[in-house]
Amino acid sequence: MTYTGNIQKMGALADEQGRVHYTLQMGGDELDMNALMGKELEISFLGEIYCRSCGKRTPKSYAQGFCFQCMQTAPEAEECVLRPALCKAHLGVARDMDYARQHCLQSHYVYLANTGELKVGVTRASQIPTRWIDQGAVAAVPLCITPNRHIAGLIEQQLSAHISDKTSWKKMVSNSINGDIDLMEERDRAAALLTPGMRRFVCSDVALRHFIYPVAAYPAAPVNHNLDKQARLSGKLLGIKGQYLLFDGDRVLNLRRFTGYRLSISD
């Protein structure tokens, strides 16, 4: 069977036991990615890229899926997406205030996660646990809840002096997990690092979530496959973690990086 279409990032859901299930939209089809585990796949880039915002064809993708113009103007590509502390929506300043009211002026969580090492991050309340799964976290716990993205970003910014706000993709996809991390202890430590003004946002939600990814074998020395340089990738799918497909031969493919690319996937 061959599926063709412009891709977005994979959809992901976790059941009550934390087992993660992935789907991928390919044109009018929805692929059950878990069902492809253990199969020989061929993924090909068909030479067309479409902007995730305006939908127009673009010769190059910017910021994971935008054409050059939309990267500069689209609300989905505003700088506060990557740097929440810079959000100005609470001041009435945004590329699109209607978008900002739905995405920035909503409850946000500051959280701690184990993605190989301890990290701190920010996400909208409505994106839990999707954000944690997208980052390949094996466990995560809320720390603070804030009324908007800006305040959450300021808290993250302060904590990033003590806790990384980055994910090491190699550790994540190879499952090189620091098993000594106790997220509940780290939560208490992080709360103590906050200023009194920020400490008032520490939430009562201390639900620790664990996630189990559909992986038969992890790569020992992962190598990222670049579809721009090598348009075809074939091999056995051994696992899915975060937004990465894990293939035999230690090869991995970050599907989110190729948002808007027109691909074909054959099994």
Side-chain angles (χ1 to χ4, degrees):
M1 182 77 72
T2 298
Y3 303 91
T4 302
N6 308 330
I7 68 163
Q8 304 295 323
K9 78 180 185 73
M10 288 183 287
L13 294 172
D15 64 18
E16 292 183 357
Q17 287 73 44
R19 293 185 295 256
V20 179
H21 195 98
Y22 288 96
T23 56
L24 177 66
Q25 295 292 332
M26 293 285 291
D29 296 310
E30 183 176 86
L31 276 68
D32 180 342
M33 296 302 291
N34 291 49
L36 298 179
M37 284 284 297
K39 293 187 176 182
E40 293 285 340
L41 301 183
E42 181 174 303
I43 299 178
S44 298
F45 170 40
L46 302 179
E48 299 176 10
I49 308 171
Y50 295 87
C51 176
R52 59 182 277 196
S53 180
C54 69
K56 294 180 180 177
R57 187 170 174 178
T58 174
K60 184 178 178 181
S61 175
Y62 298 87
Q64 293 187 335
F66 297 96
C67 66
F68 184 75
Q69 181 178 357
C70 286
M71 179 187 67
Q72 297 179 310
T73 60
E76 306 98 315
E78 200 152 7
E79 61 182 349
C80 72
V81 171
L82 294 178
R83 302 173 67 185
L86 298 181
C87 185
K88 297 179 181 178
H90 61 293
L91 301 176
V93 178
R95 291 181 179 180
D96 183 327
M97 279 306 302
D98 286 337
Y99 182 92
R101 277 187 281 272
Q102 293 297 317
H103 293 83
C104 297
L105 302 181
Q106 298 290 328
S107 296
H108 277 67
Y109 276 101
V110 181
Y111 62 85
L112 299 179
N114 185 346
T115 59
E117 295 291 347
L118 181 68
K119 81 173 296 290
V120 61
V122 166
T123 191
R124 291 197 315 277
S126 61
Q127 289 300 297
I128 288 179
T130 302
R131 178 64 172 163
W132 299 340
I133 295 170
D134 285 347
Q135 293 184 338
V138 296
V141 65
L143 173 64
C144 296
I145 187 166
T146 67
N148 59 53
R149 188 166 182 82
H150 174 67
I151 295 174
L154 292 178
I155 295 173
E156 179 193 41
Q157 189 175 67
Q158 182 181 352
L159 289 176
S160 67
H162 309 276
I163 303 169
S164 175
D165 58 355
K166 309 296 183 186
T167 296
S168 168
W169 71 267
K170 285 191 173 182
K171 286 187 176 182
M172 186 271 288
V173 299
S174 62
N175 207 39
S176 299
I177 304 298
N178 183 345
D180 294 330
I181 295 174
D182 184 323
L183 283 179
M184 300 309 292
E185 288 185 3
E186 294 294 346
R187 186 182 189 277
D188 292 340
R189 183 174 74 88
L193 292 171
L194 297 175
T195 64
M198 291 179 175
R199 206 170 296 149
R200 65 192 175 96
F201 294 106
V202 173
C203 60
S204 57
D205 180 2
V206 292
L208 178 63
R209 296 285 300 271
H210 294 271
F211 303 99
I212 303 168
Y213 296 90
V215 180
Y218 287 97
V223 177
N224 223 337
H225 185 91
N226 187 344
L227 292 173
D228 288 316
K229 295 181 178 180
Q230 190 173 352
R232 179 175 169 274
L233 171 63
S234 61
K236 181 179 289 188
L237 182 64
L238 298 180
I240 312 172
K241 191 176 184 187
Q243 285 289 317
Y244 285 79
L245 303 184
L246 315 181
F247 287 88
D248 56 0
D250 282 357
R251 298 165 301 163
V252 302
L253 179 67
N254 180 1
L255 277 185
R256 189 170 192 173
R257 175 181 174 182
F258 300 103
T259 295
Y261 281 55
R262 185 169 177 80
L263 305 182
S264 71
I265 299 180
S266 301
D267 61 5

